Amino acid sequence: MRFGKISAILTFAALLCPTPSLSEVAYPASRAAVGVDELYLLDRQDTWSTWCLRAENGEDLCHASMEVSDQDAALVLNFDVEPFLYPAVPQDVDVDPVTYGHVWIGTVSTAPHYQDLSAAIVELDGRPFDAYLCAVVPDKSCARGPWLQRPDLDALLRAQAATVSVLRAAPASGEPEEVARLTVDLNGLKPAFDRAHRFNSEVIGSDPEAGFEVRMCSFDLKGRQKRISYTYDEQDEIEAVTLRESAFGPPGNGDCYSYLMLAYLTPDMTSAQRSMFCLLADDADGSIAGFEQGPRDAYGLCETPTAKVCEMVNASKEAALAIAGFSSGAVGGAIGTTTVTGTTVVMHSSGAAILTGSSGYVAGTLGTLGTTVLGVLTAPLFVTAAAVSVVAVGGAVYVCREG
């Protein structure tokens, strides 16, 4: 578990409220049975439980947890979900880039067979989910997650079941191998999560309905000034902004950092999914012209701009899910690459499903998915392009075309 960020967030919220005396906190009797930096049981909710880490200063922090296992694959994992600030009603802002919770599916076992394993949440109630893929041992890397933004955390808390794919790292020449697929009962997660959230708020002395600070910034988009509101978290911003951008200022003729501009242009993506994209600047007036696939420089701009501009198309969420489901099936897992009838199909480590090729081949591939993708096939950006990439992320579909 990683408690540094939640402690900082709740401490900020507590500044708005008087901190209660520790004698006023309703600690359970189970707390007295453990020492500092040890876990104790706060409550049980169906198959989920609420566990807390005892702190020396009394500011214990809690999370929802469930044990999942596959004896045939010799796997025993904890599925943990920590709440941060989580008001019942989402904050009314143009951009909400902050994270509201932390997920970890993993083990503290030192058994060697865990060392090269990762876990991905690939489905919620049978629908593709792409917000979590992390190593199962502590302090190793994540391709996406472990911090969840509001839409993904809401989806997890609403779901009845999650499908977790456990992957073994591939040799240099291949794709990751799935060693187990687990179905996790999520009934009880929301009550256990809410119990942890209320208790954390009580201990810190903050309002459970406290939200993040809201700030304003501006930038030029295609020659027109945009002023947007956004949720602010200091730690999230430190991680999102380079030292150079912080010192010399962002592009776009305004004071919005590049991560905020890209979030405004791609509202249905997570920060991991946005990592595939960069901002395009208009050389004539310095405004932001759009975004495309490619690596970023220190200011969030494309290192090697091309003519492959990306735009969201008028497609349903079902279309995005259909493309993601098809792509996952085609590559045979949460990550991989294959070719289907002249179309390159990629399940990116960020969770995005990408179909690339000539518009004719891509149209033929999409045509097999039925009428749900009609909005993609009839989009002017798609129809007029010779070569395209169709990117399905979250609940949206983007088309990137040459020219």
Side-chain angles (χ1 to χ4, degrees), residues 214-248:
V214 175
R215 293 186 173 185
M216 303 290 296
C217 69
S218 61
F219 70 103
D220 285 352
L221 177 62
K222 298 179 180 179
R224 300 185 64 180
Q225 180 80 180
K226 287 281 185 181
R227 186 160 178 79
I228 62 173
S229 58
Y230 65 97
T231 48
Y232 169 79
D233 173 63
E234 182 181 20
Q235 187 61 39
D236 281 333
E237 186 153 286
I238 288 172
E239 294 173 3
V241 179
T242 66
L243 290 175
R244 190 172 299 177
E245 187 178 13
S246 178
F248 298 104

PDB file of all heavy atoms in Angstrom, residues 214-248:
ATOM      1  N   VAL A 214     -10.378  24.123  -6.837  1.00  0.00           N
ATOM      2  CA  VAL A 214     -10.687  24.432  -8.241  1.00  0.00           C
ATOM      3  C   VAL A 214      -9.932  25.689  -8.650  1.00  0.00           C
ATOM      4  O   VAL A 214      -9.987  26.712  -7.954  1.00  0.00           O
ATOM      5  CB  VAL A 214     -12.198  24.622  -8.456  1.00  0.00           C
ATOM      6  CG1 VAL A 214     -12.483  25.067  -9.894  1.00  0.00           C
ATOM      7  CG2 VAL A 214     -12.953  23.329  -8.147  1.00  0.00           C
ATOM      8  N   ARG A 215      -9.216  25.605  -9.760  1.00  0.00           N
ATOM      9  CA  ARG A 215      -8.459  26.737 -10.282  1.00  0.00           C
ATOM     10  C   ARG A 215      -8.885  27.033 -11.723  1.00  0.00           C
ATOM     11  O   ARG A 215      -9.580  26.230 -12.354  1.00  0.00           O
ATOM     12  CB  ARG A 215      -6.956  26.454 -10.231  1.00  0.00           C
ATOM     13  CG  ARG A 215      -6.390  26.364  -8.816  1.00  0.00           C
ATOM     14  CD  ARG A 215      -4.878  26.224  -8.809  1.00  0.00           C
ATOM     15  NE  ARG A 215      -4.321  26.296  -7.468  1.00  0.00           N
ATOM     16  CZ  ARG A 215      -3.027  26.302  -7.188  1.00  0.00           C
ATOM     17  NH1 ARG A 215      -2.127  26.259  -8.179  1.00  0.00           N
ATOM     18  NH2 ARG A 215      -2.609  26.380  -5.945  1.00  0.00           N
ATOM     19  N   MET A 216      -8.435  28.165 -12.230  1.00  0.00           N
ATOM     20  CA  MET A 216      -8.719  28.578 -13.604  1.00  0.00           C
ATOM     21  C   MET A 216      -7.404  28.811 -14.340  1.00  0.00           C
ATOM     22  O   MET A 216      -6.392  29.202 -13.743  1.00  0.00           O
ATOM     23  CB  MET A 216      -9.538  29.871 -13.624  1.00  0.00           C
ATOM     24  CG  MET A 216     -10.852  29.824 -12.865  1.00  0.00           C
ATOM     25  SD  MET A 216     -12.096  28.777 -13.648  1.00  0.00           S
ATOM     26  CE  MET A 216     -12.364  29.663 -15.196  1.00  0.00           C
ATOM     27  N   CYS A 217      -7.417  28.572 -15.658  1.00  0.00           N
ATOM     28  CA  CYS A 217      -6.270  28.912 -16.498  1.00  0.00           C
ATOM     29  C   CYS A 217      -6.761  29.154 -17.916  1.00  0.00           C
ATOM     30  O   CYS A 217      -7.931  28.896 -18.230  1.00  0.00           O
ATOM     31  CB  CYS A 217      -5.191  27.816 -16.475  1.00  0.00           C
ATOM     32  SG  CYS A 217      -5.661  26.280 -17.299  1.00  0.00           S
ATOM     33  N   SER A 218      -5.874  29.644 -18.769  1.00  0.00           N
ATOM     34  CA  SER A 218      -6.285  29.962 -20.139  1.00  0.00           C
ATOM     35  C   SER A 218      -5.193  29.551 -21.126  1.00  0.00           C
ATOM     36  O   SER A 218      -4.025  29.405 -20.779  1.00  0.00           O
ATOM     37  CB  SER A 218      -6.571  31.466 -20.282  1.00  0.00           C
ATOM     38  OG  SER A 218      -5.412  32.219 -19.989  1.00  0.00           O
ATOM     39  N   PHE A 219      -5.618  29.344 -22.397  1.00  0.00           N
ATOM     40  CA  PHE A 219      -4.692  29.078 -23.493  1.00  0.00           C
ATOM     41  C   PHE A 219      -5.403  29.367 -24.802  1.00  0.00           C
ATOM     42  O   PHE A 219      -6.634  29.495 -24.846  1.00  0.00           O
ATOM     43  CB  PHE A 219      -4.179  27.625 -23.452  1.00  0.00           C
ATOM     44  CG  PHE A 219      -5.222  26.572 -23.793  1.00  0.00           C
ATOM     45  CD1 PHE A 219      -5.225  25.967 -25.038  1.00  0.00           C
ATOM     46  CD2 PHE A 219      -6.172  26.189 -22.855  1.00  0.00           C
ATOM     47  CE1 PHE A 219      -6.160  24.991 -25.346  1.00  0.00           C
ATOM     48  CE2 PHE A 219      -7.116  25.210 -23.161  1.00  0.00           C
ATOM     49  CZ  PHE A 219      -7.110  24.613 -24.413  1.00  0.00           C
ATOM     50  N   ASP A 220      -4.632  29.503 -25.879  1.00  0.00           N
ATOM     51  CA  ASP A 220      -5.188  29.743 -27.205  1.00  0.00           C
ATOM     52  C   ASP A 220      -5.353  28.420 -27.936  1.00  0.00           C
ATOM     53  O   ASP A 220      -4.389  27.661 -28.082  1.00  0.00           O
ATOM     54  CB  ASP A 220      -4.274  30.653 -28.035  1.00  0.00           C
ATOM     55  CG  ASP A 220      -4.356  32.104 -27.594  1.00  0.00           C
ATOM     56  OD1 ASP A 220      -5.226  32.404 -26.757  1.00  0.00           O
ATOM     57  OD2 ASP A 220      -3.552  32.913 -28.076  1.00  0.00           O
ATOM     58  N   LEU A 221      -6.556  28.148 -28.404  1.00  0.00           N
ATOM     59  CA  LEU A 221      -6.844  26.944 -29.171  1.00  0.00           C
ATOM     60  C   LEU A 221      -7.311  27.360 -30.564  1.00  0.00           C
ATOM     61  O   LEU A 221      -8.357  27.993 -30.714  1.00  0.00           O
ATOM     62  CB  LEU A 221      -7.918  26.104 -28.487  1.00  0.00           C
ATOM     63  CG  LEU A 221      -8.369  24.846 -29.223  1.00  0.00           C
ATOM     64  CD1 LEU A 221      -7.217  23.862 -29.394  1.00  0.00           C
ATOM     65  CD2 LEU A 221      -9.537  24.170 -28.492  1.00  0.00           C
ATOM     66  N   LYS A 222      -6.500  27.039 -31.561  1.00  0.00           N
ATOM     67  CA  LYS A 222      -6.805  27.378 -32.956  1.00  0.00           C
ATOM     68  C   LYS A 222      -7.096  28.870 -33.099  1.00  0.00           C
ATOM     69  O   LYS A 222      -8.040  29.274 -33.788  1.00  0.00           O
ATOM     70  CB  LYS A 222      -7.972  26.542 -33.477  1.00  0.00           C
ATOM     71  CG  LYS A 222      -7.677  25.045 -33.484  1.00  0.00           C
ATOM     72  CD  LYS A 222      -8.849  24.220 -33.983  1.00  0.00           C
ATOM     73  CE  LYS A 222      -8.521  22.738 -33.968  1.00  0.00           C
ATOM     74  NZ  LYS A 222      -9.647  21.891 -34.418  1.00  0.00           N
ATOM     75  N   GLY A 223      -6.296  29.678 -32.405  1.00  0.00           N
ATOM     76  CA  GLY A 223      -6.412  31.117 -32.535  1.00  0.00           C
ATOM     77  C   GLY A 223      -7.446  31.772 -31.651  1.00  0.00           C
ATOM     78  O   GLY A 223      -7.599  32.999 -31.688  1.00  0.00           O
ATOM     79  N   ARG A 224      -8.158  30.990 -30.848  1.00  0.00           N
ATOM     80  CA  ARG A 224      -9.188  31.558 -29.971  1.00  0.00           C
ATOM     81  C   ARG A 224      -8.848  31.271 -28.516  1.00  0.00           C
ATOM     82  O   ARG A 224      -8.432  30.177 -28.165  1.00  0.00           O
ATOM     83  CB  ARG A 224     -10.564  30.979 -30.310  1.00  0.00           C
ATOM     84  CG  ARG A 224     -11.008  31.241 -31.738  1.00  0.00           C
ATOM     85  CD  ARG A 224     -12.417  30.769 -31.993  1.00  0.00           C
ATOM     86  NE  ARG A 224     -13.384  31.499 -31.189  1.00  0.00           N
ATOM     87  CZ  ARG A 224     -14.704  31.261 -31.241  1.00  0.00           C
ATOM     88  NH1 ARG A 224     -15.179  30.319 -32.037  1.00  0.00           N
ATOM     89  NH2 ARG A 224     -15.524  31.972 -30.494  1.00  0.00           N
ATOM     90  N   GLN A 225      -9.044  32.267 -27.656  1.00  0.00           N
ATOM     91  CA  GLN A 225      -8.718  32.129 -26.244  1.00  0.00           C
ATOM     92  C   GLN A 225      -9.733  31.209 -25.537  1.00  0.00           C
ATOM     93  O   GLN A 225     -10.950  31.345 -25.700  1.00  0.00           O
ATOM     94  CB  GLN A 225      -8.723  33.499 -25.555  1.00  0.00           C
ATOM     95  CG  GLN A 225      -8.397  33.480 -24.089  1.00  0.00           C
ATOM     96  CD  GLN A 225      -6.890  33.394 -23.807  1.00  0.00           C
ATOM     97  OE1 GLN A 225      -6.479  33.376 -22.661  1.00  0.00           O
ATOM     98  NE2 GLN A 225      -6.068  33.377 -24.832  1.00  0.00           N
ATOM     99  N   LYS A 226      -9.196  30.252 -24.770  1.00  0.00           N
ATOM    100  CA  LYS A 226     -10.030  29.384 -23.948  1.00  0.00           C
ATOM    101  C   LYS A 226      -9.678  29.615 -22.485  1.00  0.00           C
ATOM    102  O   LYS A 226      -8.506  29.658 -22.123  1.00  0.00           O
ATOM    103  CB  LYS A 226      -9.773  27.907 -24.282  1.00  0.00           C
ATOM    104  CG  LYS A 226     -10.329  27.444 -25.611  1.00  0.00           C
ATOM    105  CD  LYS A 226     -11.817  27.188 -25.493  1.00  0.00           C
ATOM    106  CE  LYS A 226     -12.367  26.614 -26.795  1.00  0.00           C
ATOM    107  NZ  LYS A 226     -13.838  26.390 -26.701  1.00  0.00           N
ATOM    108  N   ARG A 227     -10.693  29.768 -21.650  1.00  0.00           N
ATOM    109  CA  ARG A 227     -10.469  29.858 -20.208  1.00  0.00           C
ATOM    110  C   ARG A 227     -11.207  28.694 -19.567  1.00  0.00           C
ATOM    111  O   ARG A 227     -12.432  28.553 -19.747  1.00  0.00           O
ATOM    112  CB  ARG A 227     -10.958  31.192 -19.655  1.00  0.00           C
ATOM    113  CG  ARG A 227     -10.615  31.381 -18.170  1.00  0.00           C
ATOM    114  CD  ARG A 227     -10.658  32.828 -17.759  1.00  0.00           C
ATOM    115  NE  ARG A 227     -10.384  33.005 -16.338  1.00  0.00           N
ATOM    116  CZ  ARG A 227      -9.177  32.985 -15.785  1.00  0.00           C
ATOM    117  NH1 ARG A 227      -8.108  32.782 -16.543  1.00  0.00           N
ATOM    118  NH2 ARG A 227      -9.011  33.158 -14.485  1.00  0.00           N
ATOM    119  N   ILE A 228     -10.482  27.861 -18.845  1.00  0.00           N
ATOM    120  CA  ILE A 228     -11.075  26.630 -18.332  1.00  0.00           C
ATOM    121  C   ILE A 228     -10.886  26.514 -16.819  1.00  0.00           C
ATOM    122  O   ILE A 228      -9.958  27.074 -16.242  1.00  0.00           O
ATOM    123  CB  ILE A 228     -10.468  25.383 -19.015  1.00  0.00           C
ATOM    124  CG1 ILE A 228      -8.963  25.287 -18.739  1.00  0.00           C
ATOM    125  CG2 ILE A 228     -10.738  25.398 -20.513  1.00  0.00           C
ATOM    126  CD1 ILE A 228      -8.329  23.999 -19.231  1.00  0.00           C
ATOM    127  N   SER A 229     -11.791  25.789 -16.195  1.00  0.00           N
ATOM    128  CA  SER A 229     -11.681  25.474 -14.771  1.00  0.00           C
ATOM    129  C   SER A 229     -11.183  24.042 -14.633  1.00  0.00           C
ATOM    130  O   SER A 229     -11.471  23.180 -15.469  1.00  0.00           O
ATOM    131  CB  SER A 229     -13.037  25.622 -14.076  1.00  0.00           C
ATOM    132  OG  SER A 229     -14.010  24.778 -14.682  1.00  0.00           O
ATOM    133  N   TYR A 230     -10.437  23.777 -13.559  1.00  0.00           N
ATOM    134  CA  TYR A 230      -9.905  22.425 -13.379  1.00  0.00           C
ATOM    135  C   TYR A 230      -9.677  22.131 -11.899  1.00  0.00           C
ATOM    136  O   TYR A 230      -9.474  23.033 -11.095  1.00  0.00           O
ATOM    137  CB  TYR A 230      -8.597  22.240 -14.154  1.00  0.00           C
ATOM    138  CG  TYR A 230      -7.426  23.079 -13.683  1.00  0.00           C
ATOM    139  CD1 TYR A 230      -6.468  22.566 -12.815  1.00  0.00           C
ATOM    140  CD2 TYR A 230      -7.271  24.405 -14.094  1.00  0.00           C
ATOM    141  CE1 TYR A 230      -5.378  23.320 -12.382  1.00  0.00           C
ATOM    142  CE2 TYR A 230      -6.202  25.177 -13.670  1.00  0.00           C
ATOM    143  CZ  TYR A 230      -5.259  24.628 -12.818  1.00  0.00           C
ATOM    144  OH  TYR A 230      -4.199  25.386 -12.386  1.00  0.00           O
ATOM    145  N   THR A 231      -9.721  20.861 -11.558  1.00  0.00           N
ATOM    146  CA  THR A 231      -9.399  20.431 -10.210  1.00  0.00           C
ATOM    147  C   THR A 231      -7.882  20.376 -10.073  1.00  0.00           C
ATOM    148  O   THR A 231      -7.181  19.939 -10.978  1.00  0.00           O
ATOM    149  CB  THR A 231      -9.996  19.049  -9.905  1.00  0.00           C
ATOM    150  OG1 THR A 231      -9.701  18.150 -10.983  1.00  0.00           O
ATOM    151  CG2 THR A 231     -11.490  19.135  -9.704  1.00  0.00           C
ATOM    152  N   TYR A 232      -7.411  20.816  -8.907  1.00  0.00           N
ATOM    153  CA  TYR A 232      -5.962  20.923  -8.688  1.00  0.00           C
ATOM    154  C   TYR A 232      -5.532  20.056  -7.518  1.00  0.00           C
ATOM    155  O   TYR A 232      -6.152  20.070  -6.440  1.00  0.00           O
ATOM    156  CB  TYR A 232      -5.586  22.377  -8.402  1.00  0.00           C
ATOM    157  CG  TYR A 232      -4.157  22.557  -7.911  1.00  0.00           C
ATOM    158  CD1 TYR A 232      -3.087  22.532  -8.803  1.00  0.00           C
ATOM    159  CD2 TYR A 232      -3.887  22.726  -6.548  1.00  0.00           C
ATOM    160  CE1 TYR A 232      -1.777  22.683  -8.351  1.00  0.00           C
ATOM    161  CE2 TYR A 232      -2.582  22.884  -6.089  1.00  0.00           C
ATOM    162  CZ  TYR A 232      -1.534  22.854  -6.995  1.00  0.00           C
ATOM    163  OH  TYR A 232      -0.241  22.999  -6.550  1.00  0.00           O
ATOM    164  N   ASP A 233      -4.478  19.282  -7.735  1.00  0.00           N
ATOM    165  CA  ASP A 233      -3.807  18.553  -6.661  1.00  0.00           C
ATOM    166  C   ASP A 233      -2.312  18.757  -6.846  1.00  0.00           C
ATOM    167  O   ASP A 233      -1.770  18.522  -7.931  1.00  0.00           O
ATOM    168  CB  ASP A 233      -4.151  17.061  -6.706  1.00  0.00           C
ATOM    169  CG  ASP A 233      -3.320  16.265  -5.710  1.00  0.00           C
ATOM    170  OD1 ASP A 233      -3.458  16.507  -4.506  1.00  0.00           O
ATOM    171  OD2 ASP A 233      -2.509  15.418  -6.149  1.00  0.00           O
ATOM    172  N   GLU A 234      -1.652  19.200  -5.807  1.00  0.00           N
ATOM    173  CA  GLU A 234      -0.235  19.550  -5.920  1.00  0.00           C
ATOM    174  C   GLU A 234       0.623  18.371  -6.388  1.00  0.00           C
ATOM    175  O   GLU A 234       1.460  18.520  -7.289  1.00  0.00           O
ATOM    176  CB  GLU A 234       0.289  20.054  -4.572  1.00  0.00           C
ATOM    177  CG  GLU A 234       1.754  20.483  -4.615  1.00  0.00           C
ATOM    178  CD  GLU A 234       2.260  20.969  -3.267  1.00  0.00           C
ATOM    179  OE1 GLU A 234       1.633  20.640  -2.238  1.00  0.00           O
ATOM    180  OE2 GLU A 234       3.272  21.687  -3.242  1.00  0.00           O
ATOM    181  N   GLN A 235       0.407  17.187  -5.815  1.00  0.00           N
ATOM    182  CA  GLN A 235       1.237  16.045  -6.173  1.00  0.00           C
ATOM    183  C   GLN A 235       1.001  15.617  -7.619  1.00  0.00           C
ATOM    184  O   GLN A 235       1.939  15.302  -8.357  1.00  0.00           O
ATOM    185  CB  GLN A 235       0.961  14.867  -5.232  1.00  0.00           C
ATOM    186  CG  GLN A 235       1.904  13.686  -5.423  1.00  0.00           C
ATOM    187  CD  GLN A 235       3.366  14.057  -5.174  1.00  0.00           C
ATOM    188  OE1 GLN A 235       3.669  14.823  -4.265  1.00  0.00           O
ATOM    189  NE2 GLN A 235       4.264  13.537  -5.997  1.00  0.00           N
ATOM    190  N   ASP A 236      -0.260  15.617  -8.058  1.00  0.00           N
ATOM    191  CA  ASP A 236      -0.554  15.279  -9.451  1.00  0.00           C
ATOM    192  C   ASP A 236       0.137  16.249 -10.400  1.00  0.00           C
ATOM    193  O   ASP A 236       0.683  15.851 -11.434  1.00  0.00           O
ATOM    194  CB  ASP A 236      -2.070  15.297  -9.703  1.00  0.00           C
ATOM    195  CG  ASP A 236      -2.759  14.036  -9.196  1.00  0.00           C
ATOM    196  OD1 ASP A 236      -2.095  12.988  -9.126  1.00  0.00           O
ATOM    197  OD2 ASP A 236      -3.962  14.103  -8.873  1.00  0.00           O
ATOM    198  N   GLU A 237       0.121  17.542 -10.054  1.00  0.00           N
ATOM    199  CA  GLU A 237       0.720  18.532 -10.949  1.00  0.00           C
ATOM    200  C   GLU A 237       2.245  18.395 -10.973  1.00  0.00           C
ATOM    201  O   GLU A 237       2.863  18.561 -12.036  1.00  0.00           O
ATOM    202  CB  GLU A 237       0.310  19.940 -10.541  1.00  0.00           C
ATOM    203  CG  GLU A 237       0.786  21.005 -11.520  1.00  0.00           C
ATOM    204  CD  GLU A 237      -0.087  22.230 -11.533  1.00  0.00           C
ATOM    205  OE1 GLU A 237      -1.210  22.174 -12.075  1.00  0.00           O
ATOM    206  OE2 GLU A 237       0.359  23.254 -10.985  1.00  0.00           O
ATOM    207  N   ILE A 238       2.847  18.105  -9.842  1.00  0.00           N
ATOM    208  CA  ILE A 238       4.300  17.911  -9.811  1.00  0.00           C
ATOM    209  C   ILE A 238       4.698  16.775 -10.750  1.00  0.00           C
ATOM    210  O   ILE A 238       5.688  16.860 -11.482  1.00  0.00           O
ATOM    211  CB  ILE A 238       4.771  17.620  -8.371  1.00  0.00           C
ATOM    212  CG1 ILE A 238       4.685  18.892  -7.519  1.00  0.00           C
ATOM    213  CG2 ILE A 238       6.201  17.071  -8.359  1.00  0.00           C
ATOM    214  CD1 ILE A 238       4.952  18.668  -6.053  1.00  0.00           C
ATOM    215  N   GLU A 239       3.906  15.692 -10.748  1.00  0.00           N
ATOM    216  CA  GLU A 239       4.217  14.544 -11.588  1.00  0.00           C
ATOM    217  C   GLU A 239       3.935  14.809 -13.065  1.00  0.00           C
ATOM    218  O   GLU A 239       4.550  14.194 -13.943  1.00  0.00           O
ATOM    219  CB  GLU A 239       3.417  13.328 -11.115  1.00  0.00           C
ATOM    220  CG  GLU A 239       3.816  12.855  -9.723  1.00  0.00           C
ATOM    221  CD  GLU A 239       2.910  11.765  -9.191  1.00  0.00           C
ATOM    222  OE1 GLU A 239       1.995  11.336  -9.931  1.00  0.00           O
ATOM    223  OE2 GLU A 239       3.111  11.332  -8.035  1.00  0.00           O
ATOM    224  N   ALA A 240       3.011  15.725 -13.367  1.00  0.00           N
ATOM    225  CA  ALA A 240       2.598  15.960 -14.752  1.00  0.00           C
ATOM    226  C   ALA A 240       3.406  17.037 -15.460  1.00  0.00           C
ATOM    227  O   ALA A 240       3.441  17.075 -16.698  1.00  0.00           O
ATOM    228  CB  ALA A 240       1.104  16.335 -14.784  1.00  0.00           C
ATOM    229  N   VAL A 241       4.062  17.938 -14.714  1.00  0.00           N
ATOM    230  CA  VAL A 241       4.730  19.101 -15.310  1.00  0.00           C
ATOM    231  C   VAL A 241       6.243  18.926 -15.206  1.00  0.00           C
ATOM    232  O   VAL A 241       6.773  18.659 -14.125  1.00  0.00           O
ATOM    233  CB  VAL A 241       4.294  20.405 -14.607  1.00  0.00           C
ATOM    234  CG1 VAL A 241       5.006  21.608 -15.221  1.00  0.00           C
ATOM    235  CG2 VAL A 241       2.776  20.576 -14.714  1.00  0.00           C
ATOM    236  N   THR A 242       6.935  19.092 -16.318  1.00  0.00           N
ATOM    237  CA  THR A 242       8.394  18.991 -16.295  1.00  0.00           C
ATOM    238  C   THR A 242       9.006  20.219 -15.631  1.00  0.00           C
ATOM    239  O   THR A 242       8.370  21.281 -15.537  1.00  0.00           O
ATOM    240  CB  THR A 242       8.961  18.867 -17.712  1.00  0.00           C
ATOM    241  OG1 THR A 242       8.704  20.095 -18.428  1.00  0.00           O
ATOM    242  CG2 THR A 242       8.343  17.703 -18.469  1.00  0.00           C
ATOM    243  N   LEU A 243      10.238  20.096 -15.180  1.00  0.00           N
ATOM    244  CA  LEU A 243      10.924  21.231 -14.571  1.00  0.00           C
ATOM    245  C   LEU A 243      11.061  22.382 -15.559  1.00  0.00           C
ATOM    246  O   LEU A 243      10.929  23.553 -15.195  1.00  0.00           O
ATOM    247  CB  LEU A 243      12.305  20.792 -14.078  1.00  0.00           C
ATOM    248  CG  LEU A 243      12.327  19.851 -12.864  1.00  0.00           C
ATOM    249  CD1 LEU A 243      13.756  19.404 -12.573  1.00  0.00           C
ATOM    250  CD2 LEU A 243      11.739  20.549 -11.637  1.00  0.00           C
ATOM    251  N   ARG A 244      11.297  22.047 -16.828  1.00  0.00           N
ATOM    252  CA  ARG A 244      11.475  23.096 -17.833  1.00  0.00           C
ATOM    253  C   ARG A 244      10.172  23.852 -18.071  1.00  0.00           C
ATOM    254  O   ARG A 244      10.158  25.086 -18.154  1.00  0.00           O
ATOM    255  CB  ARG A 244      11.981  22.478 -19.140  1.00  0.00           C
ATOM    256  CG  ARG A 244      12.429  23.530 -20.164  1.00  0.00           C
ATOM    257  CD  ARG A 244      13.099  22.881 -21.361  1.00  0.00           C
ATOM    258  NE  ARG A 244      14.298  22.142 -20.961  1.00  0.00           N
ATOM    259  CZ  ARG A 244      15.045  21.426 -21.796  1.00  0.00           C
ATOM    260  NH1 ARG A 244      14.694  21.340 -23.082  1.00  0.00           N
ATOM    261  NH2 ARG A 244      16.115  20.799 -21.367  1.00  0.00           N
ATOM    262  N   GLU A 245       9.061  23.126 -18.171  1.00  0.00           N
ATOM    263  CA  GLU A 245       7.775  23.798 -18.380  1.00  0.00           C
ATOM    264  C   GLU A 245       7.407  24.630 -17.158  1.00  0.00           C
ATOM    265  O   GLU A 245       6.856  25.727 -17.282  1.00  0.00           O
ATOM    266  CB  GLU A 245       6.680  22.774 -18.683  1.00  0.00           C
ATOM    267  CG  GLU A 245       5.350  23.421 -19.066  1.00  0.00           C
ATOM    268  CD  GLU A 245       4.260  22.416 -19.425  1.00  0.00           C
ATOM    269  OE1 GLU A 245       4.437  21.211 -19.144  1.00  0.00           O
ATOM    270  OE2 GLU A 245       3.226  22.844 -19.972  1.00  0.00           O
ATOM    271  N   SER A 246       7.722  24.121 -15.971  1.00  0.00           N
ATOM    272  CA  SER A 246       7.435  24.867 -14.752  1.00  0.00           C
ATOM    273  C   SER A 246       8.264  26.145 -14.679  1.00  0.00           C
ATOM    274  O   SER A 246       7.771  27.204 -14.265  1.00  0.00           O
ATOM    275  CB  SER A 246       7.719  23.984 -13.529  1.00  0.00           C
ATOM    276  OG  SER A 246       7.500  24.680 -12.337  1.00  0.00           O
ATOM    277  N   ALA A 247       9.524  26.067 -15.121  1.00  0.00           N
ATOM    278  CA  ALA A 247      10.423  27.217 -15.009  1.00  0.00           C
ATOM    279  C   ALA A 247      10.173  28.265 -16.083  1.00  0.00           C
ATOM    280  O   ALA A 247      10.209  29.473 -15.817  1.00  0.00           O
ATOM    281  CB  ALA A 247      11.871  26.740 -15.073  1.00  0.00           C
ATOM    282  N   PHE A 248       9.910  27.811 -17.313  1.00  0.00           N
ATOM    283  CA  PHE A 248       9.829  28.750 -18.440  1.00  0.00           C
ATOM    284  C   PHE A 248       8.421  28.962 -18.976  1.00  0.00           C
ATOM    285  O   PHE A 248       8.206  29.786 -19.852  1.00  0.00           O
ATOM    286  CB  PHE A 248      10.742  28.272 -19.571  1.00  0.00           C
ATOM    287  CG  PHE A 248      12.195  28.216 -19.180  1.00  0.00           C
ATOM    288  CD1 PHE A 248      12.813  27.011 -18.909  1.00  0.00           C
ATOM    289  CD2 PHE A 248      12.937  29.382 -19.044  1.00  0.00           C
ATOM    290  CE1 PHE A 248      14.156  26.948 -18.527  1.00  0.00           C
ATOM    291  CE2 PHE A 248      14.275  29.343 -18.676  1.00  0.00           C
ATOM    292  CZ  PHE A 248      14.881  28.127 -18.410  1.00  0.00           C
TER     293      PHE A 248
END
